[in-house]
Amino acid sequence: MSSASPLRVVVLISGSGSNLQALIDGQKAGELPIEIAAVISNRPGVKGLERATNAGIEAITLDHKGFASREAFDSALAQRIDGFEPQLVVLAGFMRILTPDFAQHYLGRMLNIHPSLLPKYQGLNTHQRALDAGDSEHGVTVHFVTAELDGGPAAIQAVVPVLKEDDASTLASRVQAQEHVIYPMAVKWFAEGTLRMHNNAAVLKGEPLPASGYQVRTNNV
């Protein structure tokens, strides 16, 4: 993408929006060729909405509690998203299980970030599960979204060491620092046209990536 035609992005959040802030910072610095057209939260009053407003981005609350079913919420959400005509939908701490129809509607143009080295530890409490398993390494994965929960093809992973003194909080903090590095990388690749999903695989610069995606290793302690 050229600077004259930035990629239109809608970001979905449920909480503080720290990954959203990393994308906002990259956009403002001119490092990401994107335009965040809107930020939508399924929870009212969260800090991520404040971050969007402070950046001059339209901030929308669509409270899932106001809908009779998951399908009804996802249908309304898709209508709001499509009103902005985005080329990419970014899930940044969006804590909803998506319906298959919703996932299919955005197949190949929706990214999520998950705090584990997928396919390990799909779902919640990933940091404690890694510690309980005695893992020596942990990390975070950016992946394309499919109907399978946390099961879409991985684009990039950041691997961090697990330290002897780690608890879930300290490990989560170090993993989150890497989230703010690799999510903008993946979004930039997509915006530049070098990252795509094809035949249920992540493809970078025309080459299918391994199941773990492109891996970044860090000695970040």
Side-chain angles (χ1 to χ4, degrees):
M1 304 292 296
S2 70
S3 59
S5 57
L7 189 87
R8 284 180 65 79
V9 176
V10 168
V11 181
L12 307 185
I13 63 169
S14 296
S16 69
S18 66
N19 278 301
L20 165 64
Q21 189 64 56
L23 296 176
I24 291 172
D25 292 346
Q27 175 185 308
K28 284 192 170 183
E31 297 166 356
L32 291 179
I34 65 172
E35 174 196 356
I36 301 175
V39 172
I40 304 175
S41 173
N42 68 303
R43 293 177 179 168
V46 296
K47 184 172 178 59
L49 292 169
E50 179 184 337
R51 294 181 191 269
T53 300
N54 289 343
I57 299 167
E58 185 166 353
I60 297 167
T61 299
L62 190 67
D63 192 341
H64 66 275
K65 293 180 180 178
F67 293 84
S69 67
R70 190 175 298 276
E71 289 76 13
F73 172 76
D74 278 10
S75 177
L77 178 60
Q79 288 183 15
R80 294 304 298 269
I81 294 170
D82 289 349
F84 294 97
E85 299 182 342
Q87 295 154 289
L88 178 67
V89 177
V90 173
L91 309 184
F94 187 63
M95 303 302 290
R96 294 282 299 171
I97 295 175
L98 301 171
T99 57
D101 284 350
F102 187 92
Q104 183 63 38
H105 183 61
Y106 298 104
L107 191 66
R109 55 192 181 105
M110 182 160 58
L111 293 173
N112 183 45
I113 191 161
H114 182 74
S116 79
L117 297 176
L118 291 173
K120 278 190 170 184
Y121 312 129
Q122 296 167 317
L124 302 175
N125 304 316
T126 60
H127 310 301
Q128 189 60 54
R129 289 159 68 190
L131 291 170
D132 291 346
D135 291 352
S136 61
E137 293 182 329
H138 187 44
V140 57
T141 306
V142 176
H143 65 95
F144 284 97
V145 176
T146 64
E148 180 186 355
L149 177 65
D150 300 326
I156 183 171
Q157 291 185 334
V159 182
V160 301
V162 178
L163 307 180
K164 287 189 299 182
E165 62 271 23
D166 266 331
D167 58 24
S169 177
T170 59
L171 185 55
S173 179
R174 295 205 321 283
V175 168
Q176 187 178 62
Q178 296 308 307
E179 292 179 20
H180 302 160
V181 174
I182 69 167
Y183 217 174
M185 287 175 64
V187 170
K188 182 178 182 181
W189 289 344
F190 191 93
E192 292 173 340
T194 58
L195 175 65
R196 287 291 180 264
M197 179 177 164
H198 182 66
N199 290 336
N200 202 39
V203 177
L204 184 63
K205 296 181 179 178
E207 296 294 328
L209 289 166
S212 59
Y214 181 93
Q215 277 204 338
V216 176
R217 291 187 167 268
T218 175
N219 292 322
N220 177 4
V221 295

